[in-house]
Amino acid sequence: MTSQITIRRPDDWHVHLRDGEMLEAVVGYTARQFARAIVMPNLTPPVITVAAAEAYRGRILDALPAGADFTPLMVCYLTDDADPAEIARGYEQGVFAACKLYPAHATTNSAHGVTDIRKLTGLLETMQRIGMPLLIHGEVTDRDIDIFDREAVFIERVLTPLVRDFPALKIVLEHITTAEAAEFVAGSGPQIGATITPQHLIINRNAIFDGGIRPHAYCLPVAKRERHRLAVRKAAVSGSPKFFLGTDSAPHGIGRKEAACGCAGIFNAPYAMESYAQVFDEEGVLDRLEGFASEHGPNFYGLPLNEGTVTLKREDVTVEDVVTHGDIRVVPFHAGETMRWRFVG
Ligand code: NCD
Ligand code: ZN
């Protein structure tokens, strides 16, 4: 049995690092495991301008633990009034790595999101021309669509026409959760990729209702039926360059999760590589972890692969019940469980 693996340093292609005290509490977990991360722009107010992204990048770098070697890659939050010239300038200056499309009201801090993608035609033409990736939270927001169907309906109603109308636009369908998403991405051209989170590889929707309501297993897109988890898992471990690592680590303080209306988001950063290693190990394809974690993402974005390596050892690690930093308390994914792999760095 393999007792340890060493792979090229990985990156996280979708993370929420937050701001202020929460940023200080969580950034070290991501920086310990990953060389780079695509940092989601859904702050209040959202990151819309080049100046705001530069300032946020500065705050992230300031919050890093001493000696950390970590590069945040910034993202522009799209609104109905997104300015193609400003966004292209940010991309060309190396400030914005991508744009993020949140359908308005799809998830946490998405009130400023896009109400109708047709309003963005000029911007999408620009992005297609300059090769700037569009990252999509792929869920419709109509309240008459069942929450478990919102990703599949988004693919049918929004993504399929989008890919037809902008055939060269680079698109990442973020945090896929369904067989429909895995099939759509696998069946599209090389310009379409997808990120996959640890939780959507590990839990299905039963985890949210296991003996009572479990707010720490609730994120968006919400975990689906077992058959979908298996389809997403198959895609992740397939070795296809279209699927890559994106944790969607989304911390919320305990009080905001354990509430009458709890926030969506799972904080998986502390044991992210442990989670993924366990999945690839269970599937008998540990040799494919490196592609998923360290190669497919940079190749899709057209960025260089990281230098250096990290090692994971087959050792039991017990996950703490709560991660604490000053007044901040966040329950991590796998709280209280034993992981079978340990990230040594
Ligand atoms: C994210 C958050 O909390 O910012 N929550 C989540 O459940 N993933 C928002 C998002 O990415 O949907
Ligand atoms: Zn997210």
Side-chain angles (χ1 to χ4, degrees):
M1 217 199 282
T2 318
S3 63
Q4 72 169 58
I5 54 165
T6 296
I7 60 170
R8 185 186 291 280
R9 280 185 83 198
D11 302 302
D12 183 350
W13 298 95
H14 183 132
V15 70
H16 299 267
L17 293 180
R18 310 303 192 205
D19 212 346
E21 269 196 288
M22 184 62 92
L23 167 64
E24 281 174 26
V26 304
V27 70
Y29 294 104
T30 294
R32 188 174 89 87
Q33 297 207 337
F34 300 105
R36 294 170 289 196
I38 282 278
V39 181
M40 287 297 127
N42 62 331
L43 305 181
T44 18
V47 178
I48 290 173
T49 61
V50 178
E54 283 181 305
Y56 183 32
R57 181 168 64 186
R59 295 196 297 279
I60 295 169
L61 294 174
D62 287 346
L64 284 174
D69 174 15
F70 174 73
T71 305
L73 302 172
M74 310 314 290
V75 176
C76 177
Y77 180 112
L78 295 183
T79 64
D80 285 349
D81 316 311
D83 174 3
E86 168 83 356
I87 290 171
R89 179 173 76 85
Y91 183 68
E92 275 146 18
Q93 290 178 355
V95 180
F96 288 139
C99 287
K100 176 70 188 262
L101 172 72
Y102 288 103
H105 306 292
T107 184
T108 313
N109 294 342
S110 61
H112 302 275
V114 174
T115 56
D116 183 349
I117 196 160
R118 279 168 296 195
K119 294 188 175 164
L120 299 183
T121 300
L123 172 70
L124 296 173
E125 278 164 1
T126 302
M127 290 175 67
Q128 175 169 252
R129 179 166 45 77
I130 64 180
M132 184 179 192
L134 176 67
L135 318 182
I136 299 185
H137 182 112
E139 290 191 289
V140 292
T141 53
D142 322 31
R143 299 183 77 115
D144 55 324
I145 305 292
D146 190 280
I147 187 166
F148 293 101
D149 296 333
R150 287 179 190 173
E151 184 173 278
V153 172
F154 182 91
I155 292 168
E156 187 188 307
R157 288 192 191 165
V158 184
L159 192 55
T160 302
L162 181 70
V163 171
R164 187 191 55 222
D165 295 346
F166 299 91
L169 180 63
K170 274 195 198 180
I171 296 174
V172 183
L173 188 55
E174 300 283 358
H175 39 52
I176 60 167
T177 62
T178 56
E180 287 87 344
E183 272 160 33
F184 180 85
V185 172
S188 304
Q191 81 286 13
I192 312 294
T195 53
I196 300 182
T197 75
Q199 59 266 23
H200 295 118
L201 294 168
I202 293 174
I203 62 171
N204 65 30
R205 65 192 195 175
N206 286 339
I208 309 165
F209 308 101
D210 189 7
I213 187 103
R214 300 281 183 171
H216 302 292
Y218 171 59
C219 68
L220 286 171
V222 69
K224 308 293 191 297
R225 287 179 177 277
E226 180 63 0
R227 95 176 158 82
H228 293 292
R229 183 184 75 96
L230 294 175
V232 170
R233 213 168 147 109
K234 201 172 151 202
V237 304
S238 66
S240 161
K242 299 170 134 300
F243 299 102
F244 40 92
L245 187 159
T247 62
D248 195 19
S249 183
H252 293 281
I254 253 182
R256 288 174 44 99
K257 293 287 291 175
E258 299 178 7
C261 185
C263 292
I266 293 182
F267 177 48
N268 58 31
Y271 298 92
M273 285 305 295
E274 284 87 342
S275 294
Y276 287 115
Q278 198 154 311
V279 169
F280 279 72
D281 188 17
E282 284 164 8
E283 298 293 331
V285 289
L286 271 175
D287 58 314
R288 293 189 187 157
L289 179 63
E290 183 172 45
F292 178 79
S294 319
E295 293 171 356
H296 302 168
N299 288 343
F300 183 89
Y301 275 79
L303 293 171
L305 301 184
N306 295 315
E307 300 295 329
T309 58
V310 296
T311 296
L312 289 123
K313 287 196 168 149
R314 189 187 295 278
E315 272 174 26
D316 285 0
V317 188
T318 303
V319 176
E320 54 272 52
D321 291 330
V322 182
V323 169
T324 305
H325 181 94
D327 294 340
I328 292 198
R329 299 176 73 232
V330 187
V331 175
F333 187 42
H334 301 296
E337 291 171 22
T338 302
M339 309 296 293
R340 302 297 174 203
W341 286 88
R342 189 167 70 83
F343 179 91
V344 243

